[in-house]
Amino acid sequence: MPPKTAYHDALGDYFAEHAGISPYNAYTDRPAMLDLAGDVAGAKVLDVGCGAGHYAAELLARGAEVVGVDGSATLLEHARVRAGERTTLVLHDLEEPLDFADNASFDGVVCALVLHHLTHRARLLGELRRVLRPGGWLVVSTTHPAADWRHFGGSYYADDWVELPLNGSSLSIRFQRMPLETFLGELLVAGFVLERLIEPRPVAELREIDEAAYDRLHQRPCFLAVRLVRP
């Protein structure tokens, strides 16, 4: 990922800490995406933008063989601690072809909250189609277009790059807004077939921890997630 959008150094450390407890990551995005992935026992899964290894650890626990790739050395250090020796971790710029992976070498791909950080999304999606076997699945999540519109204002159809400050820090993340037609359109043009689309709500456990966040995320969409297959 480009230096301005990859989670390097302090930003990587912040994400590694907060992704494990955040209402957004831990209780909304991750449970929804793992549900979309379904039964992964015995599957070889590519975790694209694997971050601090939260997904990799969950996928391993469910019986998958996992290869994680990320552009941040900081996050991969956290992933090594969290996911252990059984996960293969690759430091790689996701703006570039996935030259470490053979054709049709994976049964599934997880791409959680990554695409909106990338400039060359079409290239990455083409690479994901290449490395998936026929019939393989791809699960993708992104920020919800309505949430971005509500937060940043302007046109719903805006495709500008924005900075989102992170609470309790001087840090921010940079990503590109996109309407629903762009998000889905790029996936379909890349040759994938849509199976499911969901607007994730938090799991019930969050109510016991942060009732205000639970209620808020049940009233206002935050993420969008899809499951697709490679024909």
Side-chain angles (χ1 to χ4, degrees):
M1 282 179 267
K4 289 184 178 180
T5 54
Y7 293 0
H8 298 294
D9 304 321
L11 183 55
D13 291 333
Y14 178 100
F15 178 79
E17 176 184 356
H18 287 268
I21 58 174
S22 163
Y24 301 94
N25 298 96
Y27 294 96
T28 305
D29 176 67
R30 198 150 58 243
M33 286 282 279
L34 290 169
D35 181 66
L36 284 177
D39 183 4
V40 297
K44 186 176 182 181
V45 179
L46 179 63
D47 184 1
V48 177
C50 66
H54 294 90
Y55 273 99
E58 289 280 357
L59 292 165
L60 281 171
R62 297 172 186 220
E65 176 188 349
V66 183
V67 176
V69 55
D70 202 282
S72 167
T74 303
L75 282 172
L76 289 182
E77 286 301 316
H78 289 283
R80 287 187 183 93
V81 173
R82 179 165 287 104
E85 297 297 323
R86 291 187 298 146
T87 300
T88 300
L89 297 173
V90 180
L91 178 63
H92 184 83
D93 183 354
L94 294 178
E95 299 283 4
E96 300 298 328
L98 304 179
D99 51 13
F100 61 87
D102 293 332
N103 293 351
S105 55
F106 289 93
D107 301 302
V109 173
V110 172
C111 186
L113 303 179
V114 173
L115 282 183
H116 51 280
H117 291 298
L118 298 176
T119 301
H120 301 301
R121 291 191 297 272
R123 176 186 294 170
L124 176 62
L125 292 174
E127 283 291 278
L128 297 185
R129 191 180 191 283
R130 178 183 68 80
V131 304
L132 272 172
R133 63 168 179 79
W137 51 267
L138 166 64
V139 294
V140 182
S141 61
T142 190
T143 59
H144 199 294
D148 291 340
W149 184 29
R150 183 185 182 96
H151 183 83
F152 293 104
S155 170
Y156 167 83
Y157 299 103
D159 61 358
D160 53 326
W161 288 82
V162 293
E163 295 276 344
L164 180 67
L166 299 176
N167 291 336
S169 77
S170 60
L171 303 168
S172 65
I173 58 173
R174 181 174 179 265
F175 64 93
Q176 188 175 19
R177 300 165 64 182
M178 64 181 95
L180 177 60
E181 67 181 17
T182 299
F183 172 65
L184 280 183
E186 290 179 352
L187 291 163
L188 299 177
V189 166
F192 294 99
V193 176
L194 180 66
E195 282 196 335
R196 288 181 63 194
L197 181 150
I198 61 173
E199 296 168 298
R201 281 80 150 175
V203 293
E205 290 84 348
L206 181 60
R207 174 175 272 167
E208 305 301 318
I209 300 167
D210 189 338
E211 186 172 5
Y214 178 86
D215 290 342
R216 181 174 67 252
L217 288 167
H218 268 273
Q219 296 171 7
R220 302 176 185 176
C222 182
F223 300 126
L224 192 63
V226 292
R227 177 184 169 101
L228 309 105
V229 292
R230 182 218 190 276

